[in-house]
Amino acid sequence: MFLVLLCTGTVISHWKVRIPGLNGTLSVSCVLAFFATSELHFSEAVFVLSVASASQCLLFVKTRPRTIQVLFNVASMALATAMTAGTYRLYLFQAWQLANPIRLLIAACVFFVFNTIPVTIVISITEGRPFRQTWKECYFWSLPFYLAGSGIATFTSIACRQIGWQTCVVMAPAIWILYRSLKLYIGRAEEGRKHAEEISSLHLRTIEALALAIEAKDQTTANHLARVQLYAVEIGKDLGMTPQEIEALRAGALLHDIGKLAVPEHIISKPGKLTREEFEKMKIHPVVGAEILERVNFPYAVTPIVRAHHEKWNGKGYPDGLHGEAIPLGARILAAVDCLDALASDRQYRKALPLDAAMAVVAEESGKSFDPNVVAVLQRRYQELELLTHQLSADRLKGLSVDIKVERGDAPAAGFEQDAQPVGHGRKHANFVTSIAAARQEMQEVFRLTQELGTGLSIHDTLALLAGRMKNLVPHDVLALYLVKGDVLKPEFVTGENFRFFSSLEIPVGMGLSGWVAENVKPILNGNPAVESGHLDQPCRFTTMQSAVSVPLVAGERLIGVISLYQTDKDAFSNDDLRVLLSVAPKIAQTVDNNFQFEPTAESSATDDVTGLPNLRSLFLHLESEIARCGAAAIPLRIGVVEINGFKKVNDHLGHLAGNELLRKIGGVLRRTSRSGDFVARMGGVEFLIVMPGRDEADASAQLEACRSAVINVGDELGADLHLSIIFGIAACGPDGIDSGELISTADSNMYELKRRRKLQSSRVPFLIKRSA
């Protein structure tokens, strides 16, 4: 019998079932242990089960376990068998004359305890699981199978004693039936568990999809919700939250801003400060979010977290004014984490702070806005959690309280738009006399501007006049007028500091500060100009401007553009500035619109018939406005006079039609080689003039040399005996300004002086002429 049981233990050693959710297995060797306990000596029973345990580890396995694992399993089985055999042979049981089946049943319970507890202890240590929960979930359910095993051992023992010990061989089929039953039961339980996990995963993915919709409306940075969720869950674990509380926090981190669906989008995406009325509307989103989530009927408490995530530790939050630990722990965690991530991310109303600086801001609010315990954990782990974020892959709306007014809540971190007149620009007046004088001066300036707008045909002249007058009405450092071209705003006119920066912008409608104004047809006061740069493909470029006032330009019912004024100081513009700009905006819009409508007429009266360039009349109008504009803005202005030498031979040899063709080609070359802000005109005959604002002497000379090279490189179509050359002269406008005629005369003098001092370098200038029949 000993040998048969030894062989049986070796055979059945590979009949083991994997436990769901654990890196462990459950063996049916317990039946063999119970039979050996009742039929063999103590030492024989321990030896048989030890061999069976060793066989289970070393035979019929794909991956052989480590030596320490083999020793642990053999020792654990030997201990369980020894305790079982000792219990079965207790003198007390014999004295009470307990029946053999009862003794085996009690011994089976002992074997269950000593076989499962050591394994559970090791799993709890290695996998960091709670002991009691692990034992209850992974092993306690298997007790009936141990009891069933004791029944099989009892019947086999009775058969051996009645028929003969050879009957014990039938135990192997019985054990196999128990093994198959156990495997089938666990298999179905595993299927049920996987189905539950799939439903839970589907539930979570649905939540995430809804959260992404909220994130898209809020126009926050990518993965904001995922980062907040990771931070919040890890801090919750650190603070000892239960698994149910962790799941509630996980869902709340994704859905805390769902109530923003009830807030108008122009408020959510506004790049400037909120008005008091807009902030009142924004404060309803925790209430609406909680009402939405109540309809989902979560199995854990998500709603209190969402409702309270804007409460403050000192009781000055909203919507309910909760104080201290009355705020749910999940909401306290979410408030601190959400603030940190918001500060460290680009938003419509400001640029992102470095993570360390953002953490310092949160730490300053410890004990005021945030729970000190939460801030302490966040401060200790924020760098570690930020590294973890880099490893991230990326119900019914009915009867919501969208019209309620939340009574509680301090001003937002960015503050409100100023209701009172700010100090600056000479707008704080000492007494009513100076106030009346200032109002009278403002009225005169507005009247003069509205009278002068639209008096000329040139859009550039109109905008130059606007820039000069607007400087007195609303002091600013930069003026930019953007026109709507399809789905983007393109700068039509820019003057002041950071000229090149704002001239290079192409702002999608709906994005940035001016784009928001264009999309919503609403003005913004003291918005952040830095957000305009967010729509450049070169993030290294930035502006020094820190405040802006921007209004839409509407002609009739059609939006034609946006006018934005920028200042280097924060909150530099007042409500009076906005009022003045709004008062002149309709006239500006109508004037700009008229200029574009009558542009063909203006162009025909101001264009040279031969070259298509502006003529002499246009040149003087433009030059006068540029002298005034550059003088007011302290921008350098230079002009270059260009003369073509050797042109008479072209007319003599090839005719006047060929000469006109050559002039058109030279005009095109001069236009193409000039900067977009330059103005190229034909003065008459073979003389051209280039107006170059913002150029120093070296830059202007390099520009004209480039024109010379471009003309020379056209080709050699004229023939070997015909040679053209160009000569140029440069003149600069001083800070005190100069008459346009005097400026051109100076450039002419410089050109003729250069002729006398320098031998002309002739070059063949090609052009293609098709002679008529």
Side-chain angles (χ1 to χ4, degrees):
M1 183 185 291
F2 172 77
L3 293 176
V4 170
L5 294 183
L6 194 62
C7 294
T8 302
T10 304
V11 171
I12 70 172
S13 62
H14 71 284
W15 295 351
K16 51 190 176 182
V17 181
R18 185 163 298 279
I19 301 174
L22 267 186
N23 186 21
T25 58
L26 188 64
S27 173
V28 293
S29 299
C30 62
V31 180
L32 182 64
F34 304 150
F35 183 78
T37 293
S38 65
E39 299 301 324
L40 297 179
H41 292 296
F42 181 92
S43 58
E44 292 174 335
V46 173
F47 182 78
V48 168
L49 269 297
S50 298
V51 172
S53 179
S55 301
Q56 180 180 339
C57 295
L58 302 175
L59 302 179
F60 315 111
V61 292
K62 295 180 180 179
T63 304
R64 180 165 294 185
R66 293 180 297 167
T67 303
I68 187 66
Q69 293 173 316
V70 175
L71 292 175
F72 172 80
N73 289 335
V74 172
S76 177
M77 180 60 73
L79 174 64
T81 305
M83 295 304 296
T84 303
T87 302
Y88 180 79
R89 291 172 172 79
L90 274 177
Y91 175 78
L92 186 62
F93 291 167
Q94 294 176 4
W96 289 351
Q97 296 182 353
L98 287 178
N100 189 58
I102 302 299
R103 292 161 62 190
L104 270 181
L105 195 64
I106 297 174
C109 293
V110 173
F111 183 87
F112 166 74
V113 171
F114 282 92
N115 188 43
T116 58
I117 286 182
V119 178
T120 307
I121 292 174
V122 172
I123 291 175
S124 299
I125 294 173
T126 57
E127 298 187 11
R129 293 175 174 232
F131 168 80
R132 183 175 179 180
Q133 181 182 353
T134 303
W135 185 74
K136 183 178 179 180
E137 292 180 357
C138 300
Y139 288 106
F140 187 74
W141 58 268
S142 64
L143 178 59
F145 289 93
Y146 283 85
L147 300 180
S150 71
I152 294 174
T154 298
F155 283 112
T156 305
S157 179
I158 293 172
C160 287
R161 292 174 183 176
Q162 295 293 330
I163 302 172
W165 69 266
Q166 294 86 351
T167 315
C168 68
V169 296
V170 303
M171 185 171 55
I175 294 176
W176 184 84
I177 292 173
L178 180 65
Y179 159 70
R180 292 299 299 173
S181 300
L182 182 60
K183 188 171 184 179
L184 181 62
Y185 173 80
I186 292 180
R188 288 182 176 177
E190 179 69 4
E191 289 178 2
R193 186 183 68 84
K194 287 184 177 179
H195 179 69
E197 287 181 350
E198 288 174 359
I199 295 298
S200 177
S201 178
L202 177 61
H203 188 200
L204 184 59
R205 288 198 301 271
T206 304
I207 292 173
E208 289 175 347
L210 182 58
L212 287 175
I214 301 163
E215 188 173 36
K217 181 179 180 181
D218 199 5
Q219 295 185 8
T220 53
T221 59
N223 296 325
H224 163 70
L225 293 178
R227 291 197 304 270
V228 168
Q229 185 188 57
L230 186 147
Y231 268 76
V233 168
E234 291 299 318
I235 291 175
K237 292 177 180 178
D238 201 305
L239 291 173
M241 296 180 74
T242 66
Q244 285 286 95
E245 291 173 332
I246 291 293
E247 289 306 311
L249 181 57
R250 192 188 306 276
L254 287 177
L255 297 174
H256 65 279
D257 279 338
I258 189 174
K260 287 184 178 179
L261 292 171
V263 180
E265 190 168 352
H266 74 271
I267 296 177
I268 293 174
S269 60
K270 184 177 181 180
K273 297 179 180 180
L274 300 180
T275 63
R276 293 184 182 275
E277 293 75 16
E278 289 170 340
F279 184 52
E280 291 299 324
K281 195 69 175 176
M282 179 68 81
K283 286 195 296 184
I284 71 170
H285 83 268
V287 178
V288 176
E291 291 183 349
I292 293 173
L293 297 179
E294 281 177 354
R295 291 158 170 77
V296 178
N297 196 21
F298 284 95
Y300 28 74
V302 178
T303 302
I305 293 177
V306 172
R307 183 179 179 92
H309 76 277
H310 275 292
E311 301 288 359
K312 293 185 178 181
W313 184 256
N314 58 11
K316 295 183 178 181
Y318 63 89
D320 301 315
L322 299 181
H323 176 274
E325 294 187 358
I327 306 170
L329 178 57
R332 284 179 264 153
I333 293 172
L334 192 56
V337 169
D338 192 35
C339 179
L340 175 65
D341 191 75
L343 290 172
S345 304
D346 284 327
R347 291 298 173 93
Q348 298 93 336
Y349 45 86
R350 52 152 179 74
K351 299 292 285 181
L353 293 177
L355 185 60
D356 292 338
M359 186 65 243
V361 174
V362 174
E364 288 179 3
E365 290 297 311
S366 177
K368 292 181 285 185
S369 296
F370 309 122
D371 182 347
N373 293 331
V374 172
V375 174
V377 175
L378 182 59
Q379 198 165 16
R380 171 166 52 85
R381 298 193 59 189
Y382 77 97
Q383 292 179 335
E384 166 202 345
L385 296 178
E386 184 63 19
L387 293 176
L388 289 178
T389 62
H390 298 318
Q391 302 171 10
L392 291 174
S393 40
D395 222 6
R396 295 182 297 273
L397 289 172
K398 180 181 178 182
L400 304 179
S401 304
V402 295
D403 295 322
I404 68 171
K405 180 177 180 180
V406 178
E407 298 295 336
R408 299 179 180 275
D410 294 336
F416 292 114
E417 286 186 355
Q418 295 292 328
D419 294 326
Q421 187 89 308
V423 179
H425 309 323
R427 289 184 176 271
K428 184 176 182 181
H429 307 295
N431 52 53
F432 72 94
V433 176
T434 54
S435 298
I436 294 173
R440 180 180 178 83
Q441 181 182 0
E442 177 186 292
M443 181 184 66
Q444 291 174 345
E445 290 288 344
V446 171
F447 178 77
R448 187 178 296 115
L449 174 61
T450 55
Q451 289 295 311
E452 292 175 343
L453 283 178
T455 56
L457 290 174
S458 168
I459 181 66
H460 197 278
D461 294 341
T462 300
L463 297 178
L465 175 64
L466 169 67
R469 293 296 184 195
M470 192 59 67
K471 195 75 174 177
N472 297 325
L473 283 171
V474 182
H476 57 273
D477 295 318
V478 179
L479 181 147
L481 188 142
Y482 305 99
L483 295 184
V484 178
K485 303 289 180 68
D487 294 331
V488 299
L489 293 176
K490 294 188 177 181
E492 180 68 23
F493 182 85
V494 178
T495 181
E497 295 182 29
N498 299 148
F499 165 87
R500 297 180 186 275
F501 172 83
F502 289 101
S503 297
S504 65
L505 291 176
E506 287 192 7
I507 305 172
V509 172
M511 301 178 71
L513 188 144
S514 300
W516 185 91
V517 171
E519 181 181 53
N520 297 280
V521 198
K522 294 177 179 290
I524 276 185
L525 178 64
N526 288 323
N528 185 0
V531 299
E532 305 280 39
S533 63
H535 308 294
L536 287 171
D537 292 331
Q538 303 177 29
C540 60
R541 301 183 64 184
F542 63 93
T543 175
T544 58
M545 302 296 111
Q546 297 192 70
S547 58
V549 57
S550 182
V551 301
L553 298 178
V554 179
E557 296 183 354
R558 183 169 56 88
L559 177 75
I560 65 169
V562 172
I563 183 169
S564 298
L565 306 181
Y566 304 96
Q567 265 276 27
T568 54
D569 298 326
K570 289 185 177 180
D571 299 330
F573 297 101
S574 68
N575 286 329
D576 279 344
D577 294 327
L578 177 60
R579 174 180 53 77
V580 170
L581 198 56
L582 286 171
S583 68
V584 299
K587 182 64 176 179
I588 296 172
Q590 194 61 54
T591 301
V592 172
D593 191 46
N594 290 340
N595 270 277
F596 281 106
Q597 289 184 15
F598 296 109
E599 191 172 8
T601 304
E603 187 173 352
S604 63
S605 65
T607 303
D608 177 61
D609 293 335
V610 176
T611 63
L613 295 175
N615 58 19
L616 188 61
R617 175 179 178 275
S618 295
L619 170 62
F620 276 99
L621 287 174
H622 178 81
L623 188 55
E624 287 289 347
S625 67
E626 279 295 276
I627 291 173
R629 183 181 73 86
C630 292
I635 298 174
L637 174 67
R638 282 176 171 76
I639 67 169
V641 175
V642 177
E643 182 181 284
I644 310 300
N645 291 319
F647 184 79
K648 185 174 183 301
K649 291 183 179 181
V650 178
N651 283 336
D652 293 342
H653 287 76
L654 300 178
H656 289 282
L657 291 178
N660 289 343
E661 179 71 16
L662 178 61
L663 287 175
R664 277 193 292 273
K665 286 185 174 293
I666 292 175
V669 165
L670 295 178
R671 179 182 288 169
R672 286 193 301 273
T673 54
S674 297
R675 190 181 61 179
S676 59
D678 294 346
F679 185 85
V680 182
R682 184 186 179 196
M683 295 177 61
V686 292
E687 289 189 345
F688 298 83
L689 188 138
I690 304 175
V691 181
M692 299 172 285
R695 299 289 190 97
D696 56 24
E697 184 175 0
D699 198 10
S701 297
Q703 176 64 45
L704 293 174
E705 286 292 347
C707 292
R708 185 207 303 274
S709 300
V711 170
I712 292 173
N713 292 333
V714 172
D716 56 359
E717 296 292 331
L718 280 176
D721 57 337
L722 298 177
H723 300 279
L724 293 179
S725 62
I726 67 171
I727 192 70
F728 58 82
I730 300 174
C733 179
D736 299 329
I738 191 174
D739 179 74
S740 57
E742 184 180 349
L743 187 62
I744 295 174
S745 177
T746 301
D748 270 332
S749 299
N750 291 339
M751 180 183 68
Y752 288 116
E753 177 64 23
L754 186 61
K755 272 186 177 182
R756 289 190 294 270
R757 292 186 308 159
R758 176 179 172 187
K759 182 180 180 181
L760 295 179
Q761 297 179 355
S762 61
S763 176
R764 296 181 301 162
V765 181
F767 62 96
L768 179 62
I769 300 176
K770 295 184 179 179
R771 297 179 180 275
S772 59

Short mmCIF file of all heavy atoms in Angstrom, two decimals, residues 2 36 39-49:
data_model
loop_
_atom_site.label_atom_id
_atom_site.label_comp_id
_atom_site.label_asym_id
_atom_site.label_seq_id
_atom_site.Cartn_x
_atom_site.Cartn_y
_atom_site.Cartn_z
N PHE A 2 1.94 1.23 0.78
CA PHE A 2 2.85 2.39 0.81
C PHE A 2 3.40 2.69 -0.58
O PHE A 2 3.41 3.84 -1.03
CB PHE A 2 3.98 2.10 1.80
CG PHE A 2 5.08 3.14 1.77
CD1 PHE A 2 4.92 4.37 2.39
CD2 PHE A 2 6.29 2.88 1.12
CE1 PHE A 2 5.92 5.31 2.35
CE2 PHE A 2 7.29 3.82 1.08
CZ PHE A 2 7.11 5.04 1.70
N ALA A 36 -3.74 8.62 3.35
CA ALA A 36 -2.47 8.20 3.95
C ALA A 36 -2.48 8.43 5.45
O ALA A 36 -1.90 7.63 6.23
CB ALA A 36 -1.32 8.96 3.31
N GLU A 39 -4.45 5.42 6.89
CA GLU A 39 -4.04 4.04 6.61
C GLU A 39 -2.55 3.79 6.82
O GLU A 39 -2.13 2.64 6.92
CB GLU A 39 -4.41 3.69 5.16
CG GLU A 39 -5.90 3.76 4.86
CD GLU A 39 -6.71 2.82 5.73
OE1 GLU A 39 -6.21 1.71 6.02
OE2 GLU A 39 -7.84 3.18 6.14
N LEU A 40 -1.72 4.83 6.85
CA LEU A 40 -0.28 4.65 6.99
C LEU A 40 0.19 5.18 8.34
O LEU A 40 -0.53 5.92 9.03
CB LEU A 40 0.47 5.36 5.86
CG LEU A 40 0.20 4.87 4.43
CD1 LEU A 40 1.01 5.71 3.44
CD2 LEU A 40 0.55 3.40 4.27
N HIS A 41 1.43 4.84 8.65
CA HIS A 41 2.04 5.40 9.84
C HIS A 41 2.30 6.90 9.62
O HIS A 41 2.34 7.39 8.50
CB HIS A 41 3.36 4.68 10.16
CG HIS A 41 3.15 3.25 10.59
ND1 HIS A 41 2.48 2.92 11.75
CD2 HIS A 41 3.52 2.07 10.01
CE1 HIS A 41 2.43 1.60 11.89
NE2 HIS A 41 3.06 1.06 10.84
N PHE A 42 2.50 7.60 10.71
CA PHE A 42 2.71 9.06 10.69
C PHE A 42 3.85 9.44 9.73
O PHE A 42 3.69 10.26 8.84
CB PHE A 42 3.03 9.52 12.11
CG PHE A 42 3.26 11.01 12.23
CD1 PHE A 42 2.23 11.87 12.53
CD2 PHE A 42 4.55 11.54 12.06
CE1 PHE A 42 2.45 13.23 12.64
CE2 PHE A 42 4.77 12.90 12.16
CZ PHE A 42 3.71 13.75 12.45
N SER A 43 5.02 8.80 9.92
CA SER A 43 6.19 9.15 9.09
C SER A 43 5.97 8.76 7.64
O SER A 43 6.43 9.45 6.72
CB SER A 43 7.44 8.47 9.65
OG SER A 43 7.26 7.07 9.69
N GLU A 44 5.30 7.64 7.39
CA GLU A 44 5.04 7.22 6.00
C GLU A 44 4.13 8.22 5.29
O GLU A 44 4.36 8.56 4.13
CB GLU A 44 4.41 5.82 6.00
CG GLU A 44 5.33 4.71 6.47
CD GLU A 44 4.63 3.38 6.59
OE1 GLU A 44 3.39 3.38 6.78
OE2 GLU A 44 5.33 2.34 6.51
N ALA A 45 3.09 8.67 6.00
CA ALA A 45 2.17 9.63 5.40
C ALA A 45 2.89 10.93 5.03
O ALA A 45 2.72 11.49 3.94
CB ALA A 45 1.01 9.91 6.35
N VAL A 46 3.73 11.43 5.97
CA VAL A 46 4.49 12.66 5.70
C VAL A 46 5.42 12.47 4.51
O VAL A 46 5.56 13.33 3.64
CB VAL A 46 5.27 13.09 6.95
CG1 VAL A 46 6.20 14.27 6.63
CG2 VAL A 46 4.32 13.45 8.08
N PHE A 47 6.08 11.30 4.43
CA PHE A 47 7.02 11.04 3.34
C PHE A 47 6.30 10.99 2.00
O PHE A 47 6.76 11.58 1.01
CB PHE A 47 7.74 9.72 3.60
CG PHE A 47 8.77 9.38 2.54
CD1 PHE A 47 10.02 10.00 2.54
CD2 PHE A 47 8.49 8.46 1.53
CE1 PHE A 47 10.96 9.71 1.57
CE2 PHE A 47 9.43 8.16 0.56
CZ PHE A 47 10.67 8.78 0.57
N VAL A 48 5.16 10.26 1.93
CA VAL A 48 4.41 10.14 0.66
C VAL A 48 3.99 11.52 0.15
O VAL A 48 4.14 11.85 -1.02
CB VAL A 48 3.18 9.23 0.85
CG1 VAL A 48 2.24 9.33 -0.35
CG2 VAL A 48 3.61 7.78 1.04
N LEU A 49 3.44 12.35 1.04
CA LEU A 49 2.98 13.68 0.60
C LEU A 49 4.13 14.62 0.27
O LEU A 49 4.02 15.48 -0.61
CB LEU A 49 2.09 14.29 1.69
CG LEU A 49 0.59 14.00 1.55
CD1 LEU A 49 0.05 14.60 0.26
CD2 LEU A 49 0.27 12.51 1.57
#
